[in-house]
Amino acid sequence: MAGCFITFEGGEGAGKSTQIERLKRRLGELAQPALVTREPGGSPHAEEIRAFILGGRAKHLGPFAEALLFAAARIDHLDKTIVPALKRGTHVLCDRFADSTRAYQGSAGNIDKELIDQLERVTLRGTRPDLTFILDLPAEVGLARAGERRAGRGEGADRFEGEEASFHHSLRQAFLSIARSEPKRCVVINADQEPDEVEAAIWAALRARLPQITRSRLSEDAVRPLDVA
Ligand code: T5A
């Protein structure tokens, strides 16, 4: 596909949304159009499923049923938003994707890995991220950040923020384990530093992994020889 598919993963309050907006801005300066989207959500039907899950209404069904709901939302998101954008040459920056199901429902929710593998295969149908940034930080630091932000908005903890500390610690290990198992796709970024430092680390990794999107499309157009054939 013409666009690059980049996902951001990590525990609660890791700084994904903050960094996605910064990256979109940088890419925009290079005339590299990027679409920002999120999971669960990112398409009208998937947003409905998001409200249902994060409102805690599927919790009593257990982690496998929740994984199926995340997958249903992902199918719609892929079909309506992600794949069309990639096909028209727009890069997609996605706040969480299939690795979150692996970590939250698979590892932390104790679902058999083989089952998660099968679900992922039928859900993604071959559309996998070109690059995944795993924003890593101690669970307590991320939860404190997310809690502060929610308090500022007068909101309470959502479905997963409200889980016990052990759940959040196992999430961190799950994301690190995904990164170890797929080193070509995943880059672990230390998210326990200032936003500018995190941004610089992400940009350096992007330049190393996907150099074609860190160059200006405008200057390429300027130097491209005329097609005289
Ligand atoms: N989920 C999702 C599953 O269980 N399975 C799945 O398959 C999927 C797709 C989604 C929930 O669903 C679960 C995981 C989640 O629990 P959400 O509301 O989308 O929920 O929440 P999160 O994805 O966790 O995102 P958050 O909004 O909580 O965190 P972000 O986006 O990682 O962090 P961000 O950038 O909003 O920053 C949080 C706060 O910290 C500050 C920001 O200003 C903000 O106030 N901040 C920093 N502070 C200090 N230093 C830095 N470097 C900072 N960077 C940001």
Side-chain angles (χ1 to χ4, degrees):
M1 290 203 224
C4 291
F5 183 23
I6 302 171
T7 57
F8 287 70
E9 299 277 6
E12 303 293 317
K16 300 181 293 350
S17 320
T18 303
Q19 294 302 327
I20 286 175
E21 285 305 328
R22 286 174 176 233
L23 182 53
K24 180 185 162 76
R25 200 163 51 238
R26 275 195 181 226
L27 292 175
E29 286 164 3
L30 299 175
Q32 296 274 358
L35 173 85
V36 170
T37 187
R38 68 173 182 184
E39 290 214 346
S43 62
H45 292 313
E47 288 291 331
E48 287 172 19
I49 299 174
R50 175 188 176 94
F52 186 77
I53 304 173
L54 299 189
R57 281 182 281 163
K59 185 177 178 180
H60 67 282
L61 299 172
F64 186 57
E66 284 186 314
L68 293 177
L69 286 168
F70 280 113
R74 187 160 298 133
I75 287 170
D76 195 58
H77 187 207
L78 278 163
D79 290 349
K80 304 280 169 36
T81 306
I82 296 175
V83 171
L86 294 174
K87 280 187 175 162
R88 62 175 184 265
T90 300
H91 307 306
V92 173
L93 310 180
C94 189
D95 191 338
R96 298 194 180 282
F97 192 62
D99 294 322
S100 282
T101 306
R102 286 190 170 275
Y104 279 75
Q105 285 66 52
S107 299
N110 284 316
I111 299 178
D112 182 55
K113 184 178 174 303
E114 185 55 35
L115 206 51
I116 292 283
D117 286 348
Q118 288 172 6
L119 182 61
E120 190 173 293
R121 242 186 334 269
V122 296
T123 305
L124 304 195
R125 293 154 292 154
T127 304
R128 292 180 181 276
D130 297 296
L131 179 62
T132 296
F133 290 111
I134 293 184
L135 269 54
D136 177 60
L137 81 177
E140 297 76 16
V141 177
L143 284 168
R145 285 185 193 168
E148 249 175 63
R149 194 197 39 198
R150 286 196 187 279
R153 293 175 182 169
E155 297 168 354
D158 71 16
R159 160 71 185 89
F160 296 100
E161 275 172 36
E163 286 286 348
E164 290 174 2
S166 59
F167 179 90
H168 294 286
H169 289 138
S170 67
L171 276 180
R172 184 182 189 190
Q173 296 314 316
F175 281 118
L176 291 174
S177 157
I178 291 169
R180 276 194 300 275
S181 66
E182 289 189 66
K184 275 194 174 162
R185 172 175 68 87
C186 300
V187 180
V188 177
I189 301 287
N190 173 14
D192 191 10
Q193 47 182 346
E194 290 301 313
D196 286 351
E197 293 173 295
V198 180
E199 180 182 344
I202 287 173
W203 188 250
L206 192 66
R207 289 181 70 161
R209 301 286 182 114
L210 295 176
Q212 71 274 26
I213 81 164
T214 59
R215 287 193 290 262
S216 171
R217 279 188 180 168
L218 290 174
S219 57
E220 276 174 19
D221 286 346
V223 296
R224 188 176 297 148
L226 287 176
D227 184 359
V228 290

